[in-house]
Every structure is written in structure tokens, then in C-alpha cells.
Amino acid sequence: TASLKKAEHLRLDLDHYQSKVDGMQQSIRNAVDRGKPVDPNQSERLRRNEDKLAKARDEYETFVSALCVLLEEVTDSCWKDLQPLLIKIIQFEFTLNSDEARFLQNINHALDALEDVARKHGLDVNAPEGPGITKCRQFDEPTVRRKSSRAETNNEPVAEDGI
């Protein structure tokens, strides 16, 4: 970005001197058109600013040309810089996925062994949860509780809220 800022600065200098020289030339033409003599100081200032304009144009064109060559080289060779990185990324992904595949093969053996144990003990391998968890859930459900001794003697369940 420093190079782009410098190119912009040089362009602004070039524009400044171009505008200044154009204004001075127009002023001198207007004086000549009116039949007035050209002030020697004004002619000298115009010559100095034309020299500055030529110098600014040379600096700008030289710098911008070199910057364009650099940008072309970077653009042309950027894929060459990226290519080794892409190879490393693909190698990493391949290794990672190979390790994951080995792990998944091993976990599949563990799953098979757990299913064998479940069948051996008469458990449903497709059940969403084990029988102990189901009993715990039923115990925790507050649907019906015994509340008073009268209800206990009559074996009448009493709703939790007493209604």
C-alpha cells in the first residue's frame, strides 16, 4: 500500500503542476489576445513551472511503470507461491481423514461388541434408552403421590396439588 500511496502522491503533484501551467499559459494567451505585453516575470514563472511539470511527469511515469511491472510479476507468479501451500493443506486433510477413518473402523468394532453384550443380556439394541433410565424417569414424574394418612388407609391416590 505504501507504493500505491506514493503513486497517488506523485499523480497529485503531476495534476497540480499541470493545472498550474495550464492556468499560466491561459493567462499569457489572454494578455497577448488583449494586445498587452507579456510580463517577463510571468514568463519566467511559467518556464520554472513547466520544468517542474516535466520533472513531475517523469517521476510519475517512471514510478508507475515500475509499479506496473511489479504488479504483473506478482500476479503472474502468485499461483506459484500458493501451490506449495495447497499441497500441504491437501496432505494435512488426507492424513486427518485417514486417521478419522481408522478411528471409525475401530469404533465400529466397539459398537458391534456392545450390541453383542446387549443381546446376550436380553436388551433391545434399538431401544432409545436403557430400562434403568426409564424407571428413573417414571419415579421422577410428579403425576400421583400419596398425601395423607386417610388416603393411605383408603388406598386413594391424592393429586399433587391437593385437588
Side-chain angles (χ1 to χ4, degrees):
T1 60
S3 296
L4 294 175
K5 287 180 181 179
K6 182 175 180 181
E8 178 66 12
H9 176 72
L10 291 172
R11 186 194 59 79
L12 291 173
D13 279 352
L14 176 62
D15 290 348
H16 167 75
Y17 286 115
Q18 184 66 56
S19 175
K20 196 170 184 180
V21 166
D22 289 346
M24 291 176 145
Q25 288 172 339
Q26 185 63 41
S27 178
I28 289 173
R29 276 194 297 272
N30 288 344
V32 171
D33 288 347
R34 284 187 249 136
K36 293 185 178 180
V38 176
D39 183 8
N41 290 336
Q42 192 176 15
S43 295
E44 179 59 27
R45 281 187 15 237
L46 175 62
R47 186 195 59 74
R48 284 194 316 264
N49 281 288
E50 285 174 336
D51 290 344
K52 291 176 184 179
L53 173 63
K55 181 181 176 190
R57 182 174 287 120
D58 287 344
E59 286 179 6
Y60 176 75
E61 289 175 357
T62 300
F63 186 79
V64 169
S65 293
L67 184 59
C68 286
V69 168
L70 174 65
L71 289 174
E72 286 175 4
E73 289 176 6
V74 167
T75 302
D76 185 47
S77 67
C78 68
W79 71 269
K80 295 173 187 171
D81 295 333
L82 186 59
Q83 193 264 354
L85 179 62
L86 289 174
I87 288 175
K88 294 294 182 192
I89 289 171
I90 290 170
Q91 289 171 340
F92 172 77
E93 288 293 328
F94 179 79
T95 302
L96 178 67
N97 289 323
S98 296
D99 292 346
E100 286 178 359
R102 280 193 298 277
F103 171 75
L104 291 175
Q105 285 175 344
N106 291 337
I107 202 166
N108 196 30
H109 295 305
L111 178 62
D112 291 341
L114 286 171
E115 287 175 350
D116 290 343
V117 168
R119 283 188 200 95
K120 181 178 175 183
H121 292 278
L123 299 174
D124 180 10
V125 295
N126 294 319
E129 59 187 26
I133 293 174
T134 303
K135 287 180 182 177
C136 286
R137 288 187 196 281
Q138 290 172 348
F139 181 79
D140 288 339
E141 291 177 0
T143 55
V144 177
R145 268 191 352 202
R146 298 183 187 269
K147 189 161 187 170
S148 68
S149 60
R150 182 185 65 84
E152 286 179 17
T153 57
N154 295 336
N155 285 332
E156 296 175 7
V158 177
E160 187 175 323
D161 59 359
I163 297 175

